[in-house]
Amino acid sequence: MSTSAARRERFVKVFESIRDELIEHFAGEGMQKDAVEWYKRNLDYNVPGGKLNRGISVTDTVEILLGRPLDDVEYKRAAVLGWCVELLQAFFLVSDDMMDSSITRRGQPCYYRVPSVGLIAVNDSFMLEGAIYHLLKTYFRKDSYYVDLIELFHDTSYKTEMGQLVDLITAPEDHVDLSKFSLKKHQFIVIYKTAYYSFYLPVALAMYMCGITAPSSYDLALKILIPLGEYFQVQDDYLDCFGTHEQIGKIGTDIVDNKCSWLINVALAHASTEQRKVLDECYGRKDAEKERRVKEIYNALGLQKRYEEYEQGSYEKIMGLIETIPASGQSVEGNAVPLKREVFKSFLDKIYKRTK
């Protein structure tokens, strides 16, 4: 078994444990049998099926910061924080798929499209979010940083929802107005909707667990991780159009859903008058032929090449930020451990030139 497969297997075993704990608590609230079975299906269907990069990043970051393997108790606690990130991700995805009328997610039908689920998925998404705070209370209530963890999850959720709002009102599916789009607005949406919860959250959780208390350390982590998250989302936008269903586990819908993606914004910045007219007529329409014409313009404008140049530039910029951390780590008075370059390099290595 490869190292990454073994890491994933160990992490998933913790999910099985905390899922059973959540179900036991749920049943203990007097919930009837069919409700308990429904909740279990909700957890199993929506939480463990993804790449799990966000959650595993918590355990990896704790190990890097401490500079040693974790014992079983330490690993369980770090993995609980990792699964709280995955629960947050599941909460967002279940909600997002309904708002986008998406068809598939992670190679299977979106949860709201499962027979008998429908709009009950709204409440089920709230249940996924609620599980986060139950787990934090169960495992961390006695720790000095318990309130920091709660505030971090609440603040991150709020920022993500801000980004989602700007995304939805900038690009409603039923009204296409490309004049509302810009690369600056795309950057705002990406930072708030993706970068905070996908990149800063896992690292900040690990930092709290390792006894890092200096605000300057969190500021530095944010300075590096937000551009990294921006780069990741641009990759996602690119793969939505140019990645295959087998690669990304879903059918790309950004063009027909009128998404304010990196691709359309770059296309608008370089399109001729005639190409702009086609984009205005075809973008955001539930029409396969119009989607094809948009992709034709993307190809004519060389967006694959432009993306490759963007990717290389982003990589070099982020590496430059990482190298502002001393090679021996950033030691600050009050921190139990120093902040290390390896934390951020591990993230960058996972996503650089990814294809899924």
Side-chain angles (χ1 to χ4, degrees), residues 259-304:
K259 284 296 179 182
C260 182
S261 82
W262 183 83
L263 293 172
I264 185 62
N265 281 294
V266 173
L268 291 170
H270 295 90
S272 66
T273 302
E274 188 60 36
Q275 287 171 327
R276 173 60 188 255
K277 185 179 177 185
V278 173
L279 292 174
D280 282 328
E281 290 173 356
C282 296
Y283 197 79
R285 270 65 174 195
K286 310 285 189 189
D287 182 308
E289 173 58 21
K290 289 183 176 179
E291 181 184 25
R292 185 192 65 77
R293 292 182 68 194
V294 171
K295 288 185 177 182
E296 266 187 359
I297 291 178
Y298 284 0
N299 287 323
L301 291 171
L303 287 196
Q304 293 194 60

mmCIF file of all heavy atoms in Angstrom, residues 259-304:
data_model
loop_
_atom_site.group_PDB
_atom_site.id
_atom_site.type_symbol
_atom_site.label_atom_id
_atom_site.label_comp_id
_atom_site.label_asym_id
_atom_site.label_seq_id
_atom_site.Cartn_x
_atom_site.Cartn_y
_atom_site.Cartn_z
ATOM 1 N N LYS A 259 -21.455 30.767 -14.560
ATOM 2 C CA LYS A 259 -20.518 30.976 -13.462
ATOM 3 C C LYS A 259 -19.495 32.057 -13.789
ATOM 4 O O LYS A 259 -18.981 32.135 -14.909
ATOM 5 C CB LYS A 259 -19.791 29.666 -13.123
ATOM 6 C CG LYS A 259 -20.632 28.673 -12.341
ATOM 7 C CD LYS A 259 -21.006 29.228 -10.985
ATOM 8 C CE LYS A 259 -21.852 28.283 -10.184
ATOM 9 N NZ LYS A 259 -22.252 28.864 -8.891
ATOM 10 N N CYS A 260 -19.182 32.856 -12.786
ATOM 11 C CA CYS A 260 -18.148 33.893 -12.927
ATOM 12 C C CYS A 260 -16.783 33.234 -12.751
ATOM 13 O O CYS A 260 -16.078 33.447 -11.760
ATOM 14 C CB CYS A 260 -18.376 34.989 -11.878
ATOM 15 S SG CYS A 260 -17.213 36.367 -11.976
ATOM 16 N N SER A 261 -16.408 32.405 -13.708
ATOM 17 C CA SER A 261 -15.178 31.624 -13.600
ATOM 18 C C SER A 261 -13.986 32.380 -14.184
ATOM 19 O O SER A 261 -14.136 33.367 -14.912
ATOM 20 C CB SER A 261 -15.335 30.273 -14.315
ATOM 21 O OG SER A 261 -15.119 30.423 -15.709
ATOM 22 N N TRP A 262 -12.797 31.885 -13.879
ATOM 23 C CA TRP A 262 -11.567 32.494 -14.405
ATOM 24 C C TRP A 262 -11.567 32.468 -15.924
ATOM 25 O O TRP A 262 -11.165 33.441 -16.571
ATOM 26 C CB TRP A 262 -10.363 31.737 -13.851
ATOM 27 C CG TRP A 262 -9.034 32.306 -14.247
ATOM 28 C CD1 TRP A 262 -8.383 33.340 -13.661
ATOM 29 C CD2 TRP A 262 -8.191 31.855 -15.322
ATOM 30 N NE1 TRP A 262 -7.179 33.572 -14.297
ATOM 31 C CE2 TRP A 262 -7.037 32.671 -15.315
ATOM 32 C CE3 TRP A 262 -8.296 30.838 -16.273
ATOM 33 C CZ2 TRP A 262 -5.997 32.505 -16.228
ATOM 34 C CZ3 TRP A 262 -7.257 30.674 -17.190
ATOM 35 C CH2 TRP A 262 -6.129 31.496 -17.171
ATOM 36 N N LEU A 263 -12.048 31.383 -16.517
ATOM 37 C CA LEU A 263 -12.001 31.231 -17.969
ATOM 38 C C LEU A 263 -12.818 32.302 -18.681
ATOM 39 O O LEU A 263 -12.350 32.933 -19.635
ATOM 40 C CB LEU A 263 -12.497 29.840 -18.376
ATOM 41 C CG LEU A 263 -11.621 28.656 -17.947
ATOM 42 C CD1 LEU A 263 -12.327 27.343 -18.255
ATOM 43 C CD2 LEU A 263 -10.269 28.693 -18.631
ATOM 44 N N ILE A 264 -14.049 32.526 -18.266
ATOM 45 C CA ILE A 264 -14.883 33.509 -18.947
ATOM 46 C C ILE A 264 -14.323 34.917 -18.745
ATOM 47 O O ILE A 264 -14.361 35.751 -19.664
ATOM 48 C CB ILE A 264 -16.376 33.436 -18.488
ATOM 49 C CG1 ILE A 264 -17.247 34.403 -19.322
ATOM 50 C CG2 ILE A 264 -16.524 33.708 -17.014
ATOM 51 C CD1 ILE A 264 -17.297 34.126 -20.795
ATOM 52 N N ASN A 265 -13.753 35.192 -17.591
ATOM 53 C CA ASN A 265 -13.199 36.516 -17.353
ATOM 54 C C ASN A 265 -11.955 36.784 -18.199
ATOM 55 O O ASN A 265 -11.772 37.891 -18.708
ATOM 56 C CB ASN A 265 -12.896 36.704 -15.867
ATOM 57 C CG ASN A 265 -14.148 37.031 -15.070
ATOM 58 O OD1 ASN A 265 -14.738 38.093 -15.253
ATOM 59 N ND2 ASN A 265 -14.566 36.127 -14.202
ATOM 60 N N VAL A 266 -11.112 35.768 -18.361
ATOM 61 C CA VAL A 266 -9.950 35.926 -19.246
ATOM 62 C C VAL A 266 -10.419 36.062 -20.697
ATOM 63 O O VAL A 266 -9.899 36.881 -21.462
ATOM 64 C CB VAL A 266 -8.972 34.741 -19.091
ATOM 65 C CG1 VAL A 266 -7.854 34.820 -20.126
ATOM 66 C CG2 VAL A 266 -8.375 34.735 -17.690
ATOM 67 N N ALA A 267 -11.430 35.267 -21.063
ATOM 68 C CA ALA A 267 -11.969 35.351 -22.423
ATOM 69 C C ALA A 267 -12.532 36.747 -22.691
ATOM 70 O O ALA A 267 -12.288 37.335 -23.758
ATOM 71 C CB ALA A 267 -13.044 34.289 -22.624
ATOM 72 N N LEU A 268 -13.261 37.307 -21.748
ATOM 73 C CA LEU A 268 -13.833 38.650 -21.925
ATOM 74 C C LEU A 268 -12.740 39.708 -22.077
ATOM 75 O O LEU A 268 -12.899 40.692 -22.810
ATOM 76 C CB LEU A 268 -14.729 38.999 -20.733
ATOM 77 C CG LEU A 268 -16.036 38.211 -20.619
ATOM 78 C CD1 LEU A 268 -16.705 38.471 -19.273
ATOM 79 C CD2 LEU A 268 -16.993 38.552 -21.765
ATOM 80 N N ALA A 269 -11.623 39.492 -21.378
ATOM 81 C CA ALA A 269 -10.523 40.457 -21.434
ATOM 82 C C ALA A 269 -9.801 40.446 -22.776
ATOM 83 O O ALA A 269 -9.146 41.430 -23.131
ATOM 84 C CB ALA A 269 -9.532 40.170 -20.301
ATOM 85 N N HIS A 270 -9.908 39.345 -23.531
ATOM 86 C CA HIS A 270 -9.149 39.213 -24.776
ATOM 87 C C HIS A 270 -10.023 39.030 -26.021
ATOM 88 O O HIS A 270 -9.493 38.965 -27.135
ATOM 89 C CB HIS A 270 -8.176 38.031 -24.670
ATOM 90 C CG HIS A 270 -7.100 38.225 -23.644
ATOM 91 N ND1 HIS A 270 -7.244 37.831 -22.333
ATOM 92 C CD2 HIS A 270 -5.881 38.814 -23.738
ATOM 93 C CE1 HIS A 270 -6.142 38.145 -21.658
ATOM 94 N NE2 HIS A 270 -5.306 38.749 -22.478
ATOM 95 N N ALA A 271 -11.325 38.942 -25.850
ATOM 96 C CA ALA A 271 -12.215 38.657 -26.985
ATOM 97 C C ALA A 271 -12.303 39.833 -27.948
ATOM 98 O O ALA A 271 -12.277 41.001 -27.539
ATOM 99 C CB ALA A 271 -13.607 38.304 -26.473
ATOM 100 N N SER A 272 -12.435 39.506 -29.215
ATOM 101 C CA SER A 272 -12.724 40.524 -30.230
ATOM 102 C C SER A 272 -14.191 40.932 -30.082
ATOM 103 O O SER A 272 -14.960 40.309 -29.335
ATOM 104 C CB SER A 272 -12.493 39.952 -31.624
ATOM 105 O OG SER A 272 -13.443 38.923 -31.893
ATOM 106 N N THR A 273 -14.578 41.981 -30.818
ATOM 107 C CA THR A 273 -15.976 42.429 -30.762
ATOM 108 C C THR A 273 -16.921 41.298 -31.173
ATOM 109 O O THR A 273 -17.962 41.082 -30.537
ATOM 110 C CB THR A 273 -16.179 43.637 -31.690
ATOM 111 O OG1 THR A 273 -15.278 44.674 -31.289
ATOM 112 C CG2 THR A 273 -17.611 44.149 -31.606
ATOM 113 N N GLU A 274 -16.542 40.574 -32.218
ATOM 114 C CA GLU A 274 -17.381 39.476 -32.704
ATOM 115 C C GLU A 274 -17.444 38.336 -31.692
ATOM 116 O O GLU A 274 -18.509 37.767 -31.429
ATOM 117 C CB GLU A 274 -16.853 38.967 -34.047
ATOM 118 C CG GLU A 274 -17.767 37.957 -34.735
ATOM 119 C CD GLU A 274 -19.160 38.503 -35.042
ATOM 120 O OE1 GLU A 274 -19.283 39.701 -35.370
ATOM 121 O OE2 GLU A 274 -20.138 37.731 -34.927
ATOM 122 N N GLN A 275 -16.304 38.000 -31.097
ATOM 123 C CA GLN A 275 -16.273 36.936 -30.086
ATOM 124 C C GLN A 275 -17.072 37.343 -28.855
ATOM 125 O O GLN A 275 -17.781 36.519 -28.276
ATOM 126 C CB GLN A 275 -14.821 36.622 -29.711
ATOM 127 C CG GLN A 275 -14.057 35.872 -30.794
ATOM 128 C CD GLN A 275 -12.576 35.777 -30.480
ATOM 129 O OE1 GLN A 275 -11.992 36.686 -29.882
ATOM 130 N NE2 GLN A 275 -11.954 34.668 -30.892
ATOM 131 N N ARG A 276 -16.987 38.602 -28.461
ATOM 132 C CA ARG A 276 -17.755 39.081 -27.305
ATOM 133 C C ARG A 276 -19.253 38.946 -27.569
ATOM 134 O O ARG A 276 -20.018 38.562 -26.677
ATOM 135 C CB ARG A 276 -17.394 40.536 -27.007
ATOM 136 C CG ARG A 276 -18.268 41.209 -25.926
ATOM 137 C CD ARG A 276 -18.165 40.465 -24.582
ATOM 138 N NE ARG A 276 -19.121 40.980 -23.625
ATOM 139 C CZ ARG A 276 -18.797 41.767 -22.595
ATOM 140 N NH1 ARG A 276 -17.535 42.166 -22.430
ATOM 141 N NH2 ARG A 276 -19.709 42.161 -21.743
ATOM 142 N N LYS A 277 -19.660 39.213 -28.787
ATOM 143 C CA LYS A 277 -21.069 39.090 -29.138
ATOM 144 C C LYS A 277 -21.543 37.650 -28.975
ATOM 145 O O LYS A 277 -22.622 37.390 -28.427
ATOM 146 C CB LYS A 277 -21.282 39.552 -30.585
ATOM 147 C CG LYS A 277 -22.733 39.568 -31.021
ATOM 148 C CD LYS A 277 -22.871 40.050 -32.458
ATOM 149 C CE LYS A 277 -24.327 39.983 -32.908
ATOM 150 N NZ LYS A 277 -24.490 40.322 -34.336
ATOM 151 N N VAL A 278 -20.702 36.698 -29.398
ATOM 152 C CA VAL A 278 -21.045 35.271 -29.259
ATOM 153 C C VAL A 278 -21.118 34.896 -27.780
ATOM 154 O O VAL A 278 -22.039 34.178 -27.353
ATOM 155 C CB VAL A 278 -20.024 34.379 -30.002
ATOM 156 C CG1 VAL A 278 -20.292 32.903 -29.713
ATOM 157 C CG2 VAL A 278 -20.075 34.646 -31.505
ATOM 158 N N LEU A 279 -20.165 35.378 -26.993
ATOM 159 C CA LEU A 279 -20.174 35.071 -25.554
ATOM 160 C C LEU A 279 -21.435 35.621 -24.895
ATOM 161 O O LEU A 279 -22.066 34.949 -24.077
ATOM 162 C CB LEU A 279 -18.923 35.643 -24.883
ATOM 163 C CG LEU A 279 -17.591 34.990 -25.260
ATOM 164 C CD1 LEU A 279 -16.424 35.749 -24.641
ATOM 165 C CD2 LEU A 279 -17.544 33.515 -24.844
ATOM 166 N N ASP A 280 -21.823 36.847 -25.258
ATOM 167 C CA ASP A 280 -23.047 37.436 -24.703
ATOM 168 C C ASP A 280 -24.282 36.617 -25.067
ATOM 169 O O ASP A 280 -25.208 36.479 -24.258
ATOM 170 C CB ASP A 280 -23.221 38.874 -25.200
ATOM 171 C CG ASP A 280 -22.326 39.861 -24.466
ATOM 172 O OD1 ASP A 280 -22.050 39.635 -23.273
ATOM 173 O OD2 ASP A 280 -21.905 40.850 -25.086
ATOM 174 N N GLU A 281 -24.291 36.067 -26.269
ATOM 175 C CA GLU A 281 -25.450 35.312 -26.749
ATOM 176 C C GLU A 281 -25.488 33.881 -26.214
ATOM 177 O O GLU A 281 -26.573 33.310 -26.040
ATOM 178 C CB GLU A 281 -25.438 35.259 -28.281
ATOM 179 C CG GLU A 281 -25.726 36.591 -28.957
ATOM 180 C CD GLU A 281 -25.531 36.527 -30.467
ATOM 181 O OE1 GLU A 281 -25.107 35.463 -30.964
ATOM 182 O OE2 GLU A 281 -25.806 37.546 -31.144
ATOM 183 N N CYS A 282 -24.312 33.304 -25.940
ATOM 184 C CA CYS A 282 -24.255 31.862 -25.657
ATOM 185 C C CYS A 282 -23.912 31.493 -24.220
ATOM 186 O O CYS A 282 -24.257 30.391 -23.768
ATOM 187 C CB CYS A 282 -23.240 31.200 -26.601
ATOM 188 S SG CYS A 282 -23.688 31.303 -28.343
ATOM 189 N N TYR A 283 -23.221 32.359 -23.496
ATOM 190 C CA TYR A 283 -22.788 31.991 -22.152
ATOM 191 C C TYR A 283 -23.982 31.946 -21.205
ATOM 192 O O TYR A 283 -24.891 32.775 -21.276
ATOM 193 C CB TYR A 283 -21.754 32.988 -21.617
ATOM 194 C CG TYR A 283 -20.986 32.464 -20.430
ATOM 195 C CD1 TYR A 283 -19.939 31.563 -20.592
ATOM 196 C CD2 TYR A 283 -21.316 32.839 -19.127
ATOM 197 C CE1 TYR A 283 -19.239 31.060 -19.500
ATOM 198 C CE2 TYR A 283 -20.618 32.356 -18.032
ATOM 199 C CZ TYR A 283 -19.581 31.455 -18.228
ATOM 200 O OH TYR A 283 -18.897 30.951 -17.138
ATOM 201 N N GLY A 284 -23.994 30.949 -20.330
ATOM 202 C CA GLY A 284 -25.036 30.844 -19.311
ATOM 203 C C GLY A 284 -26.366 30.336 -19.810
ATOM 204 O O GLY A 284 -27.379 30.470 -19.129
ATOM 205 N N ARG A 285 -26.359 29.709 -20.988
ATOM 206 C CA ARG A 285 -27.599 29.155 -21.538
ATOM 207 C C ARG A 285 -27.600 27.641 -21.413
ATOM 208 O O ARG A 285 -26.587 26.990 -21.623
ATOM 209 C CB ARG A 285 -27.753 29.536 -23.019
ATOM 210 C CG ARG A 285 -28.488 30.838 -23.272
ATOM 211 C CD ARG A 285 -27.755 32.039 -22.735
ATOM 212 N NE ARG A 285 -28.413 33.301 -23.102
ATOM 213 C CZ ARG A 285 -27.823 34.475 -23.005
ATOM 214 N NH1 ARG A 285 -26.585 34.576 -22.558
ATOM 215 N NH2 ARG A 285 -28.478 35.565 -23.344
ATOM 216 N N LYS A 286 -28.769 27.081 -21.075
ATOM 217 C CA LYS A 286 -28.904 25.623 -20.949
ATOM 218 C C LYS A 286 -29.090 25.023 -22.346
ATOM 219 O O LYS A 286 -30.156 24.519 -22.695
ATOM 220 C CB LYS A 286 -30.097 25.262 -20.062
ATOM 221 C CG LYS A 286 -30.147 25.984 -18.725
ATOM 222 C CD LYS A 286 -29.144 25.459 -17.739
ATOM 223 C CE LYS A 286 -29.374 26.064 -16.360
ATOM 224 N NZ LYS A 286 -28.316 25.763 -15.410
ATOM 225 N N ASP A 287 -28.037 25.108 -23.110
ATOM 226 C CA ASP A 287 -28.108 24.710 -24.513
ATOM 227 C C ASP A 287 -26.741 24.158 -24.905
ATOM 228 O O ASP A 287 -25.737 24.886 -24.856
ATOM 229 C CB ASP A 287 -28.472 25.931 -25.363
ATOM 230 C CG ASP A 287 -28.616 25.619 -26.840
ATOM 231 O OD1 ASP A 287 -27.689 25.025 -27.415
ATOM 232 O OD2 ASP A 287 -29.657 25.998 -27.425
ATOM 233 N N ALA A 288 -26.695 22.882 -25.287
ATOM 234 C CA ALA A 288 -25.419 22.223 -25.577
ATOM 235 C C ALA A 288 -24.683 22.870 -26.744
ATOM 236 O O ALA A 288 -23.452 22.971 -26.738
ATOM 237 C CB ALA A 288 -25.657 20.741 -25.865
ATOM 238 N N GLU A 289 -25.433 23.318 -27.752
ATOM 239 C CA GLU A 289 -24.794 23.949 -28.913
ATOM 240 C C GLU A 289 -24.169 25.290 -28.524
ATOM 241 O O GLU A 289 -23.054 25.620 -28.947
ATOM 242 C CB GLU A 289 -25.825 24.146 -30.032
ATOM 243 C CG GLU A 289 -25.324 24.944 -31.231
ATOM 244 C CD GLU A 289 -24.104 24.343 -31.916
ATOM 245 O OE1 GLU A 289 -23.844 23.122 -31.762
ATOM 246 O OE2 GLU A 289 -23.392 25.099 -32.609
ATOM 247 N N LYS A 290 -24.857 26.054 -27.689
ATOM 248 C CA LYS A 290 -24.303 27.337 -27.243
ATOM 249 C C LYS A 290 -23.091 27.115 -26.330
ATOM 250 O O LYS A 290 -22.117 27.886 -26.390
ATOM 251 C CB LYS A 290 -25.382 28.164 -26.552
ATOM 252 C CG LYS A 290 -26.425 28.677 -27.537
ATOM 253 C CD LYS A 290 -27.471 29.557 -26.879
ATOM 254 C CE LYS A 290 -28.427 30.111 -27.951
ATOM 255 N NZ LYS A 290 -29.483 30.965 -27.393
ATOM 256 N N GLU A 291 -23.142 26.079 -25.518
ATOM 257 C CA GLU A 291 -21.984 25.736 -24.684
ATOM 258 C C GLU A 291 -20.787 25.397 -25.572
ATOM 259 O O GLU A 291 -19.646 25.816 -25.302
ATOM 260 C CB GLU A 291 -22.322 24.552 -23.772
ATOM 261 C CG GLU A 291 -21.176 24.141 -22.856
ATOM 262 C CD GLU A 291 -21.503 22.911 -22.025
ATOM 263 O OE1 GLU A 291 -22.357 22.112 -22.456
ATOM 264 O OE2 GLU A 291 -20.890 22.748 -20.960
ATOM 265 N N ARG A 292 -21.049 24.652 -26.650
ATOM 266 C CA ARG A 292 -19.972 24.268 -27.572
ATOM 267 C C ARG A 292 -19.345 25.502 -28.219
ATOM 268 O O ARG A 292 -18.126 25.593 -28.369
ATOM 269 C CB ARG A 292 -20.520 23.325 -28.649
ATOM 270 C CG ARG A 292 -19.460 22.771 -29.605
ATOM 271 C CD ARG A 292 -20.073 22.093 -30.812
ATOM 272 N NE ARG A 292 -20.804 23.042 -31.661
ATOM 273 C CZ ARG A 292 -20.209 23.888 -32.493
ATOM 274 N NH1 ARG A 292 -18.885 23.934 -32.596
ATOM 275 N NH2 ARG A 292 -20.936 24.711 -33.233
ATOM 276 N N ARG A 293 -20.173 26.498 -28.568
ATOM 277 C CA ARG A 293 -19.660 27.711 -29.212
ATOM 278 C C ARG A 293 -18.792 28.522 -28.240
ATOM 279 O O ARG A 293 -17.793 29.119 -28.646
ATOM 280 C CB ARG A 293 -20.826 28.559 -29.736
ATOM 281 C CG ARG A 293 -21.561 27.903 -30.908
ATOM 282 C CD ARG A 293 -22.666 28.800 -31.430
ATOM 283 N NE ARG A 293 -22.122 30.001 -32.084
ATOM 284 C CZ ARG A 293 -22.856 31.076 -32.380
ATOM 285 N NH1 ARG A 293 -24.153 31.108 -32.054
ATOM 286 N NH2 ARG A 293 -22.307 32.120 -32.980
ATOM 287 N N VAL A 294 -19.162 28.532 -26.956
ATOM 288 C CA VAL A 294 -18.330 29.201 -25.954
ATOM 289 C C VAL A 294 -16.974 28.507 -25.871
ATOM 290 O O VAL A 294 -15.917 29.157 -25.855
ATOM 291 C CB VAL A 294 -19.014 29.221 -24.571
ATOM 292 C CG1 VAL A 294 -18.044 29.726 -23.494
ATOM 293 C CG2 VAL A 294 -20.272 30.081 -24.602
ATOM 294 N N LYS A 295 -16.995 27.178 -25.845
ATOM 295 C CA LYS A 295 -15.737 26.428 -25.766
ATOM 296 C C LYS A 295 -14.884 26.661 -27.014
ATOM 297 O O LYS A 295 -13.643 26.688 -26.925
ATOM 298 C CB LYS A 295 -16.018 24.933 -25.581
ATOM 299 C CG LYS A 295 -16.536 24.596 -24.192
ATOM 300 C CD LYS A 295 -16.702 23.096 -23.999
ATOM 301 C CE LYS A 295 -17.157 22.773 -22.587
ATOM 302 N NZ LYS A 295 -17.293 21.309 -22.354
ATOM 303 N N GLU A 296 -15.513 26.834 -28.146
ATOM 304 C CA GLU A 296 -14.783 27.153 -29.378
ATOM 305 C C GLU A 296 -14.002 28.453 -29.216
ATOM 306 O O GLU A 296 -12.849 28.560 -29.635
ATOM 307 C CB GLU A 296 -15.759 27.293 -30.555
ATOM 308 C CG GLU A 296 -15.960 26.025 -31.360
ATOM 309 C CD GLU A 296 -16.804 26.276 -32.621
ATOM 310 O OE1 GLU A 296 -17.237 27.432 -32.834
ATOM 311 O OE2 GLU A 296 -17.010 25.320 -33.367
ATOM 312 N N ILE A 297 -14.634 29.441 -28.613
ATOM 313 C CA ILE A 297 -13.959 30.719 -28.394
ATOM 314 C C ILE A 297 -12.832 30.556 -27.375
ATOM 315 O O ILE A 297 -11.741 31.124 -27.545
ATOM 316 C CB ILE A 297 -14.968 31.800 -27.964
ATOM 317 C CG1 ILE A 297 -15.879 32.137 -29.153
ATOM 318 C CG2 ILE A 297 -14.260 33.049 -27.440
ATOM 319 C CD1 ILE A 297 -16.951 33.150 -28.859
ATOM 320 N N TYR A 298 -13.078 29.779 -26.334
ATOM 321 C CA TYR A 298 -12.008 29.506 -25.367
ATOM 322 C C TYR A 298 -10.779 28.940 -26.077
ATOM 323 O O TYR A 298 -9.641 29.340 -25.806
ATOM 324 C CB TYR A 298 -12.490 28.502 -24.307
ATOM 325 C CG TYR A 298 -13.412 29.055 -23.246
ATOM 326 C CD1 TYR A 298 -13.810 30.385 -23.224
ATOM 327 C CD2 TYR A 298 -13.901 28.225 -22.230
ATOM 328 C CE1 TYR A 298 -14.653 30.881 -22.242
ATOM 329 C CE2 TYR A 298 -14.741 28.705 -21.237
ATOM 330 C CZ TYR A 298 -15.119 30.037 -21.255
ATOM 331 O OH TYR A 298 -15.951 30.510 -20.262
ATOM 332 N N ASN A 299 -11.022 27.998 -26.981
ATOM 333 C CA ASN A 299 -9.904 27.387 -27.708
ATOM 334 C C ASN A 299 -9.255 28.390 -28.651
ATOM 335 O O ASN A 299 -8.027 28.451 -28.765
ATOM 336 C CB ASN A 299 -10.392 26.159 -28.487
ATOM 337 C CG ASN A 299 -10.687 24.979 -27.573
ATOM 338 O OD1 ASN A 299 -9.988 24.759 -26.586
ATOM 339 N ND2 ASN A 299 -11.731 24.218 -27.878
ATOM 340 N N ALA A 300 -10.069 29.202 -29.326
ATOM 341 C CA ALA A 300 -9.530 30.194 -30.258
ATOM 342 C C ALA A 300 -8.667 31.232 -29.539
ATOM 343 O O ALA A 300 -7.687 31.739 -30.103
ATOM 344 C CB ALA A 300 -10.674 30.888 -30.997
ATOM 345 N N LEU A 301 -9.023 31.532 -28.294
ATOM 346 C CA LEU A 301 -8.264 32.512 -27.511
ATOM 347 C C LEU A 301 -7.069 31.880 -26.781
ATOM 348 O O LEU A 301 -6.354 32.576 -26.055
ATOM 349 C CB LEU A 301 -9.185 33.191 -26.492
ATOM 350 C CG LEU A 301 -10.251 34.126 -27.076
ATOM 351 C CD1 LEU A 301 -11.238 34.552 -25.997
ATOM 352 C CD2 LEU A 301 -9.608 35.346 -27.722
ATOM 353 N N GLY A 302 -6.882 30.568 -26.970
ATOM 354 C CA GLY A 302 -5.729 29.888 -26.370
ATOM 355 C C GLY A 302 -5.772 29.847 -24.856
ATOM 356 O O GLY A 302 -4.745 30.026 -24.186
ATOM 357 N N LEU A 303 -6.958 29.582 -24.292
ATOM 358 C CA LEU A 303 -7.071 29.618 -22.836
ATOM 359 C C LEU A 303 -6.265 28.523 -22.148
ATOM 360 O O LEU A 303 -5.851 28.703 -21.000
ATOM 361 C CB LEU A 303 -8.547 29.547 -22.408
ATOM 362 C CG LEU A 303 -9.383 30.810 -22.650
ATOM 363 C CD1 LEU A 303 -10.671 30.755 -21.863
ATOM 364 C CD2 LEU A 303 -8.627 32.081 -22.315
ATOM 365 N N GLN A 304 -6.059 27.400 -22.814
ATOM 366 C CA GLN A 304 -5.226 26.366 -22.185
ATOM 367 C C GLN A 304 -3.801 26.878 -21.994
ATOM 368 O O GLN A 304 -3.189 26.680 -20.945
ATOM 369 C CB GLN A 304 -5.255 25.088 -23.021
ATOM 370 C CG GLN A 304 -6.632 24.423 -23.040
ATOM 371 C CD GLN A 304 -6.596 23.006 -23.565
ATOM 372 O OE1 GLN A 304 -5.921 22.142 -23.022
ATOM 373 N NE2 GLN A 304 -7.330 22.760 -24.633
#
